[in-house]
Structure formats: structure tokens, C-alpha cells
Amino acid sequence: MNIFVKDKEFYKNVADISVPIALQGLINVGVSMTDTMMLGSFGEITLSAASLANQFCFIFLIINFGLGGGAGVLSGQFWGKKDTKSINKILSILIKASVLFALLFLFLAQVFPETIMSIYTKETAVSAKGMMYLKIVSLSFIFQGISTTVNILFRTVGSVKVALFASISSFFVNVFLNWVLIFGNLGAPELGIQGAAIATLTARIIEFSVIMIYLFKIDKKLNFKFKYLLQLDRELLKNYVKVGGPVLISDLILALGLNMVSVIMGRIGSDMVAANSISSVVLQFTNVFLMGVSNASGVITGNTIGQGKHKLAQERAVTFLAMSIILGLSSSLFIFILKNIIIDFYNISDTTKQIAIQLMNATSFLVVFMSISSLLTKGVLRAGGDTKFLMIADILFLWTVSIPLGAIAGLVFKLPAGIVLICLKIDEIIKGLWCVGRLLSNKWIKSVDEDEQCKLIIEELVMPE
């Protein structure tokens, strides 16, 4: 088997899907970077407060990724058969599920902000500022949830440019309002961290509005109507739960695990949290093209399997794996060479800078394995319907290895920051290698028979091996 498939149309499709998504990711990273730079000018406490408050928001975001990921397994294969009726039913279920979770997380953030922040930090000043940020930004959950899940489903049918346009619109709104409200420009009051939260809320409303206008007024692929939201296909809902359930559980427990990583860092101190905020933004920046290719791998793999071309799906999967290794090595080199230049942009203490350097050195090693893991777990293998295997892969190593090892390294032995990060992320190394073995075993493709009805298709997807 060739590592790289010889098909120009394939690479064109990868570019058509991945480039807009990568640009969207680049814009989102730009927002995060300007946020950290602007808030960093107020010191480590303010920067840490926003970072830790966003960890609760991250749980909500990951839940929406799980909801959308489960729907994407189905819609990608439905689109391979041009079954738009079933896709619209899935989208209706998806939006309603997202709203329910948004209301739950909004309630928690508004009623128990102090309890939430106390999980992440014992520093009173950090907690107080984090509460202010969380109570405002949580008002965006409904808008963010719907935008996120609809965008994920759009990608499975090849509609990727709308998300890019929505992100561009929200980016300019966010950056401008950050400048106005954080620092008190143009006669506005200086609101600091609250200004950043208001800017984020406004930007997400703008992004939501753009996507809704496209969904109901412009899109011709699905022709989704508001009346679909008032309907419920119970049989398809059961099938969605069967396939999407493992994806949601996997992503939720993964999010909780990653939050435990943040809890450990928060207990180490605000310097560690601030340094990790900077390192994380740089990692996101270098991974934007990987994110694009990963999404493209999911769309193309799902469509290919939906067309019944299983051998071709396996060949393309190997090519996607090679792409992830190349992108991971490129990211590693970028981070290692430019870390000092990037850190100097931030107004932080020398202690925080030294911690950030250690974290970036560790990240430059980890990012290759993280690239492989991300593309396989969130792209190829998920699109193949191998959701139960992925649930085990996401949960097992994080909770049994990374979190205990990281807690011992950071809180008990108080090892250097770089070593602590490697311990906290060692699951990415194990998971990446394990998923490569799964890919090469050819057991990850859950067949879709052209002649079967939807119910039989889904039952096959979740049938144990």
C-alpha cells in the first residue's frame, strides 16, 4: 500500500475543506492571543482568572463537539448517499440537545460561580475575577452551542465557508470591543476582565446571527426549515443516541480529565496557569492546519464509507496519518525555534517567562503525538463509526495514567514545569500509538450497506466486534 494516494482530486478535496477550517482556526487563535496579551497587561492574576474560568466554558464546548461529532458520523455517511431528509432530522435533534446543555451550564455559572472557581484555584483574587468573567461569558452559551454544532454538521456536507465568514465577523468585533472595553478607549469605562467577557459575548452573538441567516435563508444543500425544530423522529433519535452516545461520553469525560489537568496547574500557582495560557495559545496557532486536515479527514472518510468504498477509505486513512506526522513535526520545529520571540510579546514576570519556556520545550516534543492522536480520534476513526473504541482510548489513559502521574509530579514532588506537562499529557503519546495500531488493523471501518435501512445501518455501527 502506498503511503500517499495518487489522486489529484482527493488532495483538492482535502484543500477545499481544510483551508477554510484552518483559516477559521487561525482567526479563533488570533482572538485568544489578543485576549491573553491584553489581559496579560493587567498581570498574572487577571490572565489566570480568565484562563481558569474558561476551563468551565471548555467543558460546555467539548460537550457540543461530542454532540456534533456523533451527528457527524451519521450525517457524513448520509451525505455520501445524498439523504438530506435524514440529515435535517439529525440537525434538528442536534440543535435541541445543544440548547438543553446550554441552559444547564448557564444555570450553573449564574448560580454557583464561586463554587466553580474554587475547584480551579485557592487564590481569592484569582477566584473573584474569574467569577466576574464567568457570569458574563456564560450568557453566550446558547449562541455558542448552536453555532458550534451547526458548523460541525455543515462540514460533513462540505459547507465550510460560512463558518469562516462568521469567524471573521466575530473576530473584528471581539478585537475592537476588547480594545475599547478592557482599556477604556473611545470614552468607554475601563472594565478589564469584564470588558473581555462582554466582547466575547457580543462576538458570539454576531457569529450565531451569521450562521442562522445562512442556515435558514441562503443554504441550498439542506434547505433546513424552522418547522423541523418542532418535529422529532424518535427512531432516528434512538439511533443517534446509540452512535453519538459513546462520542458524547468520550468527549465529556475527556473534557473533565483536561479540566483536572487545569485544576492541578491551578493548585501549583497563578504563574503556572498564566504560562500555560501562553503556551496553549501557541500550540493552537501551530495546530490550525492540523485542525483543518483533521476535519477534512472526517468528512472525506465518512463520505467514502457512505459510498461503500471501504478499501479506498483505508488507503486514504494512511495518507491522512502521514499528513498528521508531517504537520506535527512542522509544529514542533516552529514552537522550539520561535518560543523566546513569542514569549517576549507578553507583559509577564520573569518567573512566568521561564515557566512558559519550559512548557513550550515540552510541547515541542508532545505535539507530534498530539497531532497523530487528534487526527485519528477526531477525524478518521470517528468518521469510520469506531466510536466505542475511541471512547475507551480517550478515557482510559487520561484518567489512569496522565492525571495521577501529573498530580504526583506537580503537587507531591514539585518537579520542573516541563516534566509536569509531559506527565499530564503522556496519554497523548500512548493514545496516538494505540490508534495507529487500530488504523492499520483495518477493524475501524463499520460497514454501511447501501441496501439497508437507516435502523440497520446504525445497529451495524454499534455492533460489537
Side-chain angles (χ1 to χ4, degrees):
M1 180 186 296
N2 293 322
I3 295 177
F4 293 97
V5 296
K6 297 178 180 179
D7 181 359
K8 291 183 179 179
E9 188 64 25
F10 165 74
Y11 294 106
K12 181 180 181 299
N13 289 338
V14 172
D16 287 344
I17 297 171
S18 62
V19 171
I21 294 173
L23 291 174
Q24 181 192 356
L26 191 61
I27 291 168
N28 291 336
V29 172
V31 172
S32 298
M33 192 169 288
T34 53
D35 277 354
T36 56
M37 286 182 178
M38 291 183 186
L39 290 175
S41 65
F42 287 84
E44 281 82 355
I45 289 177
T46 301
L47 180 57
S48 297
S51 176
L52 292 175
N54 272 321
Q55 291 305 307
F56 179 75
C57 304
F58 175 71
I59 298 176
F60 172 70
L61 181 61
I62 291 295
I63 285 175
N64 281 279
F65 285 153
L67 292 171
V73 173
L74 301 178
S75 63
Q77 297 194 27
F78 284 144
W79 183 247
K81 297 191 283 188
K82 303 302 178 185
D83 183 2
T84 57
K85 183 178 179 181
S86 294
I87 294 175
N88 279 326
K89 290 179 179 179
I90 286 293
L91 180 55
S92 172
I93 294 170
L94 190 57
I95 292 174
K96 285 179 277 196
S98 178
V99 170
L100 287 175
F101 277 105
L103 291 173
L104 172 62
F105 274 74
L106 175 61
F107 172 78
L108 294 174
Q110 294 296 319
V111 178
F112 305 108
E114 185 175 1
T115 303
I116 292 169
M117 288 306 303
S118 68
I119 295 173
Y120 298 106
T121 181
K122 291 182 177 180
E123 298 181 36
T124 305
V126 174
S127 179
K129 286 185 176 292
M131 288 167 56
M132 291 190 293
Y133 182 88
L134 183 59
K135 292 196 74 170
I136 296 172
V137 83
S138 62
L139 298 173
S140 71
F141 283 166
I142 292 177
F143 307 109
Q144 182 189 24
I146 294 175
S147 298
T148 300
T149 51
V150 171
N151 275 337
I152 291 172
L153 192 133
F154 272 158
R155 290 170 185 172
T156 66
V157 301
S159 298
V160 295
K161 293 181 180 179
V162 58
L164 175 60
F165 181 74
S167 293
I168 291 173
S169 303
S170 66
F171 169 77
F172 286 109
V173 170
N174 200 329
V175 172
F176 174 72
L177 289 180
N178 270 342
W179 177 74
V180 171
L181 298 176
I182 291 177
F183 300 111
N185 290 307
L186 301 181
E190 183 180 305
L191 298 177
I193 195 170
Q194 290 177 301
I198 294 171
T200 298
L201 169 62
T202 307
R204 286 176 180 166
I205 292 174
I206 296 297
E207 181 180 35
F208 167 82
S209 301
V210 171
I211 292 169
M212 289 301 100
I213 290 172
Y214 181 85
L215 176 65
F216 289 107
K217 298 294 184 182
I218 300 174
D219 174 61
K220 300 302 179 185
K221 288 184 177 180
L222 301 180
N223 290 311
F224 188 80
K225 306 296 182 184
F226 183 81
K227 65 180 181 181
Y228 297 151
L229 294 173
L230 305 178
Q231 302 170 359
L232 180 63
D233 186 321
R234 295 185 183 277
E235 193 62 35
L236 194 55
L237 173 61
K238 292 178 182 178
N239 295 332
Y240 171 64
V241 171
K242 288 180 181 178
V243 175
V247 177
L248 178 58
I249 293 171
S250 172
D251 282 358
L252 176 57
I253 298 178
L254 177 63
L256 293 174
L258 294 175
N259 262 251
M260 284 301 299
V261 171
S262 297
V263 169
I264 293 170
M265 289 189 172
R267 302 288 169 165
I268 292 174
S270 57
D271 287 337
M272 181 70 162
V273 175
N276 187 59
S277 299
I278 297 168
S279 178
S280 296
V281 169
V282 175
L283 177 62
Q284 292 170 27
F285 176 77
T286 60
N287 274 350
V288 291
F289 291 107
L290 172 72
M291 182 176 67
V293 174
S294 179
N295 277 275
S297 74
V299 173
I300 292 173
T301 300
N303 292 168
T304 305
I305 294 172
Q307 294 165 3
K309 301 175 181 178
H310 300 159
K311 182 179 179 182
L312 181 60
Q314 178 67 33
E315 292 172 353
R316 289 175 169 178
V318 173
T319 298
F320 280 123
L321 172 60
M323 289 180 180
S324 74
I325 295 172
I326 293 171
L327 290 170
L329 290 171
S330 301
S331 297
S332 175
L333 190 62
F334 178 90
I335 295 171
F336 187 77
I337 293 176
L338 298 179
K339 60 180 181 293
N340 290 317
I341 297 174
I342 295 168
I343 292 171
D344 284 340
F345 277 105
Y346 291 88
N347 180 28
I348 52 178
S349 68
D350 290 339
T351 300
T352 303
K353 286 184 178 181
Q354 290 303 312
I355 294 174
I357 289 173
Q358 293 180 47
L359 294 179
M360 287 193 190
N361 284 335
T363 300
S364 66
F365 164 71
L366 291 165
V367 69
V368 179
F369 300 98
M370 295 170 74
S371 297
I372 296 170
S373 172
S374 177
L375 183 134
L376 294 182
T377 60
K378 308 307 177 190
V380 173
L381 299 185
R382 176 174 288 184
D386 202 13
T387 55
K388 287 186 176 180
F389 172 85
L390 294 176
M391 180 174 67
I392 296 171
D394 277 336
I395 296 170
L396 181 62
F397 305 120
L398 177 62
W399 283 94
T400 62
V401 182
S402 288
I403 292 175
L405 195 60
I408 293 170
L411 301 178
V412 179
F413 292 110
K414 303 187 184 301
L415 296 177
I419 295 176
V420 173
L421 183 64
I422 290 175
C423 291
L424 288 168
K425 297 291 184 180
I426 199 169
D427 65 299
E428 296 286 356
I429 299 174
I430 303 171
K431 184 167 61 175
L433 297 175
W434 201 36
C435 286
V436 169
R438 182 68 169 183
L439 178 73
L440 299 179
S441 73
N442 292 314
K443 295 179 180 179
W444 59 278
I445 297 178
K446 306 303 180 184
S447 302
V448 176
D449 190 329
E450 292 287 345
D451 297 324
E452 286 182 286
Q453 298 298 318
C454 176
K455 179 179 179 181
L456 296 178
I457 292 171
I458 307 305
E459 287 176 350
E460 182 183 357
L461 283 173
V462 298
M463 189 177 297
E465 298 176 44

mmCIF file of all heavy atoms in Angstrom, residues 2 4-11 319:
data_model
loop_
_atom_site.group_PDB
_atom_site.id
_atom_site.type_symbol
_atom_site.label_atom_id
_atom_site.label_comp_id
_atom_site.label_asym_id
_atom_site.label_seq_id
_atom_site.Cartn_x
_atom_site.Cartn_y
_atom_site.Cartn_z
ATOM 1 N N ASN A 2 0.573 2.206 -0.902
ATOM 2 C CA ASN A 2 1.307 3.457 -0.935
ATOM 3 C C ASN A 2 0.919 4.331 0.263
ATOM 4 O O ASN A 2 -0.238 4.357 0.674
ATOM 5 C CB ASN A 2 1.008 4.217 -2.231
ATOM 6 C CG ASN A 2 1.546 3.505 -3.463
ATOM 7 O OD1 ASN A 2 2.628 2.926 -3.409
ATOM 8 N ND2 ASN A 2 0.790 3.551 -4.556
ATOM 9 N N PHE A 4 1.066 7.643 0.261
ATOM 10 C CA PHE A 4 0.292 8.758 -0.282
ATOM 11 C C PHE A 4 -0.496 8.283 -1.506
ATOM 12 O O PHE A 4 0.088 7.763 -2.457
ATOM 13 C CB PHE A 4 1.213 9.919 -0.683
ATOM 14 C CG PHE A 4 1.896 10.569 0.483
ATOM 15 C CD1 PHE A 4 3.185 10.210 0.845
ATOM 16 C CD2 PHE A 4 1.246 11.529 1.243
ATOM 17 C CE1 PHE A 4 3.819 10.794 1.927
ATOM 18 C CE2 PHE A 4 1.863 12.125 2.327
ATOM 19 C CZ PHE A 4 3.150 11.752 2.672
ATOM 20 N N VAL A 5 -1.816 8.440 -1.450
ATOM 21 C CA VAL A 5 -2.643 8.031 -2.576
ATOM 22 C C VAL A 5 -2.356 8.923 -3.774
ATOM 23 O O VAL A 5 -2.043 10.112 -3.631
ATOM 24 C CB VAL A 5 -4.145 8.104 -2.223
ATOM 25 C CG1 VAL A 5 -4.488 7.121 -1.121
ATOM 26 C CG2 VAL A 5 -4.552 9.514 -1.823
ATOM 27 N N LYS A 6 -2.450 8.347 -4.958
ATOM 28 C CA LYS A 6 -2.179 9.093 -6.189
ATOM 29 C C LYS A 6 -3.500 9.501 -6.818
ATOM 30 O O LYS A 6 -4.022 8.841 -7.711
ATOM 31 C CB LYS A 6 -1.347 8.230 -7.142
ATOM 32 C CG LYS A 6 0.024 7.865 -6.576
ATOM 33 C CD LYS A 6 0.803 6.968 -7.518
ATOM 34 C CE LYS A 6 2.172 6.619 -6.929
ATOM 35 N NZ LYS A 6 2.958 5.715 -7.827
ATOM 36 N N ASP A 7 -4.050 10.595 -6.317
ATOM 37 C CA ASP A 7 -5.355 11.065 -6.773
ATOM 38 C C ASP A 7 -5.422 12.574 -6.555
ATOM 39 O O ASP A 7 -5.610 13.045 -5.431
ATOM 40 C CB ASP A 7 -6.470 10.349 -6.006
ATOM 41 C CG ASP A 7 -7.859 10.781 -6.446
ATOM 42 O OD1 ASP A 7 -7.968 11.651 -7.335
ATOM 43 O OD2 ASP A 7 -8.846 10.253 -5.903
ATOM 44 N N LYS A 8 -5.268 13.344 -7.613
ATOM 45 C CA LYS A 8 -5.260 14.807 -7.501
ATOM 46 C C LYS A 8 -6.579 15.347 -6.963
ATOM 47 O O LYS A 8 -6.603 16.331 -6.223
ATOM 48 C CB LYS A 8 -4.947 15.427 -8.869
ATOM 49 C CG LYS A 8 -3.523 15.189 -9.352
ATOM 50 C CD LYS A 8 -3.273 15.888 -10.683
ATOM 51 C CE LYS A 8 -1.835 15.664 -11.153
ATOM 52 N NZ LYS A 8 -1.580 16.329 -12.460
ATOM 53 N N GLU A 9 -7.679 14.690 -7.320
ATOM 54 C CA GLU A 9 -8.991 15.142 -6.864
ATOM 55 C C GLU A 9 -9.113 15.009 -5.338
ATOM 56 O O GLU A 9 -9.740 15.852 -4.673
ATOM 57 C CB GLU A 9 -10.090 14.332 -7.549
ATOM 58 C CG GLU A 9 -11.505 14.844 -7.304
ATOM 59 C CD GLU A 9 -11.746 16.222 -7.877
ATOM 60 O OE1 GLU A 9 -11.051 16.612 -8.844
ATOM 61 O OE2 GLU A 9 -12.637 16.927 -7.351
ATOM 62 N N PHE A 10 -8.512 13.957 -4.800
ATOM 63 C CA PHE A 10 -8.508 13.755 -3.355
ATOM 64 C C PHE A 10 -7.828 14.919 -2.642
ATOM 65 O O PHE A 10 -8.365 15.481 -1.681
ATOM 66 C CB PHE A 10 -7.801 12.444 -3.021
ATOM 67 C CG PHE A 10 -7.416 12.292 -1.572
ATOM 68 C CD1 PHE A 10 -8.373 12.035 -0.607
ATOM 69 C CD2 PHE A 10 -6.084 12.423 -1.180
ATOM 70 C CE1 PHE A 10 -8.017 11.903 0.737
ATOM 71 C CE2 PHE A 10 -5.717 12.285 0.148
ATOM 72 C CZ PHE A 10 -6.683 12.022 1.108
ATOM 73 N N TYR A 11 -6.659 15.293 -3.102
ATOM 74 C CA TYR A 11 -5.918 16.384 -2.455
ATOM 75 C C TYR A 11 -6.627 17.719 -2.643
ATOM 76 O O TYR A 11 -6.568 18.589 -1.765
ATOM 77 C CB TYR A 11 -4.489 16.443 -3.000
ATOM 78 C CG TYR A 11 -3.672 15.237 -2.630
ATOM 79 C CD1 TYR A 11 -3.373 14.254 -3.573
ATOM 80 C CD2 TYR A 11 -3.230 15.044 -1.327
ATOM 81 C CE1 TYR A 11 -2.643 13.123 -3.231
ATOM 82 C CE2 TYR A 11 -2.500 13.916 -0.974
ATOM 83 C CZ TYR A 11 -2.212 12.960 -1.928
ATOM 84 O OH TYR A 11 -1.495 11.842 -1.583
ATOM 85 N N THR A 319 -2.859 7.896 4.256
ATOM 86 C CA THR A 319 -2.349 9.191 3.778
ATOM 87 C C THR A 319 -2.596 10.290 4.803
ATOM 88 O O THR A 319 -1.722 11.126 5.061
ATOM 89 C CB THR A 319 -3.010 9.557 2.438
ATOM 90 O OG1 THR A 319 -2.681 8.578 1.455
ATOM 91 C CG2 THR A 319 -2.531 10.927 1.951
#
